[in-house]
């Protein structure tokens, strides 16, 4: 997972601002997935972000754990359920890559509450 290849002809459709513990969207800390046809590229600038991957939206135990340190990145494939945890000093952003223009389309989906 940490370095699944993004096709060379894909382009960045959107990039987030830098997130810290103070401004991280709550959806990133709980089950969510990238949209169909969209790769997420999580880039850590400071601290550590731990990525947990899940087999499906209902799984409670991760099937994958990747620790991403400052200066590293990891990719998340389309429609893969995951969440993150952050160190107190973490700072990161996310680039969303796709093959075609995704203007105005969601880049990820949060798990719906029951």
């Amino acid at each position: 997972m940490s370095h699944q290849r993004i096709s060379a002809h894909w382009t960045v459709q959107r990039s987030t601002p830098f997130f810290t513990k103070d401004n991280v969207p709550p959806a990133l800390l709980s089950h969510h997935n990238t949209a169909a046809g969209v790769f997420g590229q999580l880039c850590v600038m400071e601290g550590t972000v731990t990525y947990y991957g899940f087999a499906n939206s209902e799984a409670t135990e991760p099937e994958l754990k990747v620790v991403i340190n400052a200066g590293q990145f990891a990719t998340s494939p389309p429609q893969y359920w995951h969440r993150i945890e952050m160190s107190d000093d973490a700072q990161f952003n996310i680039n969303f890559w796709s093959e075609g223009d995704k203007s105005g389309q969601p880049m990820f989906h949060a798990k719906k509450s029951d």
Side-chain angles (χ1 to χ4, degrees):
M1 187 292 310
S2 64
H3 288 290
Q4 284 196 4
R5 183 179 294 276
I6 298 172
S7 296
H9 64 281
W10 285 32
T11 57
V12 174
Q13 298 295 308
R14 193 173 310 156
S15 293
T16 69
F18 287 106
F19 295 129
T20 65
K21 283 261 188 180
D22 294 331
N23 68 350
V24 65
L28 297 181
L29 303 175
S30 60
H31 269 51
H32 66 284
N33 70 0
T34 44
V38 175
F39 259 93
Q41 179 189 33
L42 194 152
C43 304
V44 179
M45 297 297 147
E46 292 182 23
T48 301
V49 175
T50 304
Y51 175 104
Y52 296 94
F54 298 89
N56 57 55
S57 65
E58 303 306 314
T60 57
E61 291 297 318
E63 64 179 3
L64 180 69
K65 176 182 174 183
V66 178
V67 177
I68 313 157
N69 296 306
Q72 298 178 330
F73 72 90
T75 57
S76 187
Q79 299 183 294
Y80 185 65
W81 289 95
H82 59 279
R83 70 173 177 83
I84 63 161
E85 289 180 355
M86 309 168 58
S87 63
D88 288 339
D89 61 343
Q91 181 176 328
F92 71 96
N93 81 318
I94 303 168
N95 298 313
F96 294 101
W97 294 75
S98 75
E99 184 173 17
D101 185 6
K102 299 271 187 197
S103 297
Q105 296 179 33
M107 296 286 113
F108 72 94
H109 304 285
K111 183 177 176 184
K112 294 184 178 22
S113 300
D114 295 332

